[in-house]
Each structure stands twice: as C-alpha cells, then as structure tokens.
Amino acid sequence: MKLPVLISGIIVSLALVGCSEQTPAASTSEVSVSPTTIAPTIAYEEMPPVVEANVTLECASYSEGATPFVRQQSDLVVNGVQYRVATVACGVADSEVSAEVVESFIADNGVWASNGLVSGPDVPFNTMGPCESDGNFVSCPAFVLSEEGEAIGCIQITGQDNGLVWTFVTEEELAL
C-alpha cells in the first residue's frame, strides 16, 4: 500500500513544480491564428505580360482550331484601379488574324484576372503599331476593316463612369 501512495505523492510534487515553472504561451485575449501559407504578392510593375492563357475570348465560332492571340497591351488607371488592357484576336497558326477586340485585366494575387471585353462601337479593327499610354488614356494606331477600303485611325481606350470604353477615331477626326 505504500507504493501507490508514494507514486501519487511524486505525481503531485511534479505537477506542483511544473505549474510553478511554466508560463502560458498566450492569454485567451492574445490568441491569433496565422494562415499556414501566405499568397505571394507581386507589385503591379513586376507582373508578367498578359498571355493567351489569361484571355477569355472564345474563338471557336471564328474558325475551327482558332485560338486567341494577344496582339499588344498597355496600362490604364481608372478611378484609382490599375488595369492592363490588351488587344486580342482569334486566328489559326500561319493565317491572317481576325479583327481585334479589347479585353481588360486586373492583377489578382500575382496572376491576371480578366474583367471581360471592353465596351465600344461595333467596328472591326486591327492595330498596326504599338499602343501608347499616359496611364489614364491608351491610344493604338489601327485601321478599320471595311468593304469600302481601309480607314486609318486610332482606337482610344478610356475610363468612363460605366467602366472602360474604346472608340475608333479616324484620321479626319484626329486632325480636328
């Protein structure tokens, strides 16, 4: 009978010694939970270019085997939001590219997330030179595909109350 009393006495002694030397890791008011993984953040300036995998333009109706091509891209700031706008077309390898459209993107945890196609007039255009941007306005030299001939001008992408809007401006309108 002395053995169980001796063992229980040792356990009580160890428990008392352990309690007096331990300090709590945190009080209940200081408990914080941190995620096990943190999503990497990339500065907008360090984002890679928009690539075909980021594009949502559906090209199946254009031609069998057609895929989207990013023709060019530029940056635009609207109401404090940084956008990347790209002119995108559908085509088949080693063939002429169809008329372009404008798609906008925002940076989302290091990847490009599409906002969809930018609104504008129903004018089929192809860019013919690099887009230029001052950060608030994008202009791309372009020509209109028409049965009457090619009207040279620019597509202009700006921000408006309802989002991003593109317009086609002819050379005559640019001269005014």
Side-chain angles (χ1 to χ4, degrees):
M1 286 287 208
K2 288 186 178 183
L3 190 57
V5 172
L6 179 62
I7 293 175
S8 63
I10 292 172
I11 293 173
V12 169
S13 297
L14 289 174
L16 290 174
V17 170
C19 287
S20 63
E21 292 177 3
Q22 289 181 348
T23 55
S27 70
T28 55
S29 62
E30 297 175 18
V31 173
S32 63
V33 177
S34 25
T36 55
T37 59
I38 298 174
T41 56
I42 297 175
Y44 189 87
E45 301 79 31
E46 296 173 5
M47 287 287 295
V50 170
V51 294
E52 283 75 16
N54 306 122
V55 173
T56 61
L57 180 64
E58 178 55 54
C59 292
S61 63
Y62 170 66
S63 174
E64 186 176 332
T67 57
F69 293 92
V70 177
R71 295 290 301 256
Q72 54 184 306
Q73 53 196 285
S74 196
D75 294 333
L76 186 65
V77 178
V78 178
N79 297 325
V81 177
Q82 182 88 38
Y83 294 93
R84 180 149 300 168
V85 292
T87 61
V88 182
C90 291
V92 179
D94 300 325
S95 69
E96 289 189 25
V97 177
S98 71
E100 294 171 62
V101 296
V102 178
E103 188 167 359
S104 71
F105 302 85
I106 57 170
D108 184 15
N109 290 323
V111 296
W112 289 114
S114 175
N115 289 319
L117 301 183
V118 174
S119 63
D122 189 18
V123 176
F125 70 89
N126 276 352
T127 55
M128 56 184 220
C131 294
E132 296 179 5
S133 175
D134 63 3
N136 298 311
F137 177 83
V138 175
S139 180
C140 307
F143 61 93
V144 172
L145 304 173
S146 67
E147 292 179 17
E148 296 82 35
E150 299 175 349
I152 304 295
C154 287
I155 64 162
Q156 297 176 338
I157 306 163
T158 57
Q160 312 232 336
D161 290 340
N162 60 349
L164 300 179
V165 175
W166 75 268
T167 55
F168 183 84
V169 181
T170 64
E171 279 187 342
E172 294 81 27
E173 293 170 317
L174 289 171
L176 296 176

